[in-house]
Amino acid sequence: MAAGLGWEWAWRMSRIMTWCTGLALVGAVAGCGQAAAVRPAGSWGRAIEVPGLGALNKGNAAVFSVSCGLAGSCAAGGYYTDGDRHQQGFVAAERNGRWGTAIKVPGLAALNKGGASGPDAEIGSVSCASAGNCAVGGSYTDQLGQGQAFVATERYGRWGMATGVPGLGALNAGGHAYVYQVSCASAGNCAAGGDYRDGGHHQQGFVVSEKNGVWGHAIEVPGLGALNAGAARVSSVSCGSAGNCMAGGDYTDGDGSGHGFVVSEKNGVWGQVIGVPGLGARNKSGDAAVSSVSCGSAGNCMAGGDYTDGDGSGHGFVVSEKNGVWGQVIGVPGLGARNKSGDAAVSSVSCGSAGNCMAGGDYTDGGGSGQGFVVSEKNGVWGQAIKVPGLGALNAGFNAAVDSVSCASAGNCTASGDYGEPYGSGFVVSEKNGIWGRAIEVPGLGALHKSRQEFPGVVLVSCGSPGNCAVGGLYANGGGNYQGFIAVAKNGVWGRAIEMPGLAALNKDGGAYVSEVSCAPAGSCAAGGLYQDRRGHYQGFVVSQTG
């Protein structure tokens, strides 16, 4: 783990590690096992160690982020451990369906000098706008031992030099900075957000934009410093078009209360941050945050998250931006009537087009059981939240949640999550032309999952086009070891899980899982993760769907 990056590690791994309670973290998950895949939408090729990564890696390695700009043209990034036991960042690119050799991020070694504890660097986020045009962001340790953030850009298949986020060094007097998310609207036009520590050792949020391949200067989120008296961060970024992005996150006021915020970029200029309109009146107990943002087009975005009312009950909220103007926050319509035990949140949002979005999350019913919900926005109007259809019949363990959502177009979305703790499984549910179908267990996952101690979970979902999606996550075998899986839907039909070809041969010491899945528009998907070699070291792998 990079020095001082405990929160960042938790943020990055939380989607994966929710189901790994009690297991040790050593750059990965101790005791994770083999992975599985499905074949309905073309065939999965053989999982391979990221080419060239073995030669770089002398300890542990992992793929943390994957993004596809076009079918067969993707990028992956993460970290490896060099011969001096220091953590370094790498990138690998897929061209025409073939993964090239992993490389050290150009220029990162010159930045990543380290202090007394040595250098530590990693890539936390990858985003590809088109084939061969991607950007990455992450962190490194400078020669004074301070944590700094960096960005690097790939143009036409060639990676440029990593640079410390321009201007961030002057802001980051406290020596702790990180890029959490990168979003690219088109080739060479991206945005990134994260946090840093100022001279008073207060955590602040920043944004930075790239225009025509050149990164501008990072700025403290305009106006956020005046609101923030404790800790602030940008946790989510989305771009509707080049120079038109939004970011969301949270901050702590002078009374120690947590609040959510949003900030928009218009034509390359970031506006003033605003506390989510109307959220303050609802957030009586001072614990609110924006957890996810998505833009359907320039100036038409949405955000979701949670807040705590005066009775200490948790609630989910959504808020929409229309033509550059943010409306008032609303409690998710209909969720209050369901959330009898006062513990609800929006965990993920996605927009298929302007004014046509969806959100998913969980709530606690009157019996104290966790339930998953979805809610859709149509032409700018939010409908009523509904319990995921069919999930009640699956959820015998009375604990379910929607963890990830993805919309390929207006009214065509998919949600994934888990149910039935401690002996449940993972589920998927799809919306077609605005109508939600019934949730189903990920086909074949129950047969793979043999443990009576843990339950499997779906970490994330990605949809390239309506009805053509992929999900990835974890399950446990009969010995209680975690396994990984990936499942694919074609034309709305989910196939059965099979062992991912080639991964068992790599996974000699029983530790593998799928951590990232990305599907290109109207094309195939790619996945990445890690496995444990015969020496007990973790290695990164990639695999692509063909046909």
Side-chain angles (χ1 to χ4, degrees), residues 26 75 111 145 190 198 225 266 271 359 427 441 480 484:
V26 187
L111 298 173
C190 307
D198 62 21
K266 183 177 181 180
F427 73 87
E441 179 183 35

Side-chain angles (χ1 to χ4, degrees), residues 280-359:
R282 296 173 178 270
N283 184 36
K284 298 296 188 182
S285 292
D287 187 8
V290 170
S291 58
S292 183
V293 302
S294 180
C295 293
S297 64
N300 294 283
C301 306
M302 73 154 295
D306 62 273
Y307 68 91
T308 308
D309 66 20
D311 295 327
S313 297
H315 301 270
F317 73 83
V318 288
V319 61
S320 300
E321 179 193 36
K322 183 177 181 181
N323 298 326
V325 179
W326 285 97
Q328 289 284 304
V329 72
I330 57 173
V332 176
L335 186 57
R338 298 180 176 277
N339 184 36
K340 299 295 188 182
S341 293
D343 188 7
V346 170
S347 58
S348 184
V349 302
S350 180
C351 294
S353 65
N356 294 282
C357 306
M358 75 155 291

Side-chain angles (χ1 to χ4, degrees), residues 14-20 36 399-404 415-428 441-442 445-446 448-449 454-461 471-477 481-487 513-515 517:
S14 62
R15 292 172 299 175
I16 304 161
M17 298 307 302
T18 300
W19 304 278
C20 290
N399 198 353
V402 170
D403 300 312
S404 180
S416 63
D418 54 84
Y419 66 88
E421 183 181 355
Y423 308 128
S425 191
F427 73 87
V428 286
E441 179 183 35
V442 176
L445 184 56
L448 291 172
H449 180 63
E454 304 292 346
F455 68 103
V458 177
V459 175
L460 53 87
V461 62
V471 294
L474 304 171
Y475 70 94
N477 64 15
N481 294 323
Y482 281 92
Q483 317 280 10
F485 75 88
I486 186 169
Y513 66 86
V514 174
S515 61
V517 180

Side-chain angles (χ1 to χ4, degrees), residues 151-247:
V151 286
T153 300
E154 180 194 35
R155 294 296 303 273
Y156 308 113
R158 182 181 294 273
W159 284 97
M161 298 290 285
T163 62
V165 176
L168 188 57
L171 298 173
N172 185 36
H176 180 112
Y178 197 89
V179 171
Y180 292 122
Q181 192 163 19
V182 179
S183 178
C184 295
S186 61
N189 294 283
C190 307
D195 67 26
Y196 67 92
R197 283 188 184 153
D198 62 21
H201 291 276
H202 293 144
Q203 187 174 303
Q204 306 287 357
F206 76 87
V207 286
V208 61
S209 299
E210 181 192 33
K211 182 178 180 181
N212 298 327
V214 179
W215 286 95
H217 270 61
I219 58 172
E220 178 183 64
V221 175
L224 185 57
L227 297 174
N228 179 42
R233 66 176 66 93
V234 170
S235 56
S236 189
V237 179
S238 180
C239 294
S241 65
N244 294 282
C245 305
M246 76 154 292

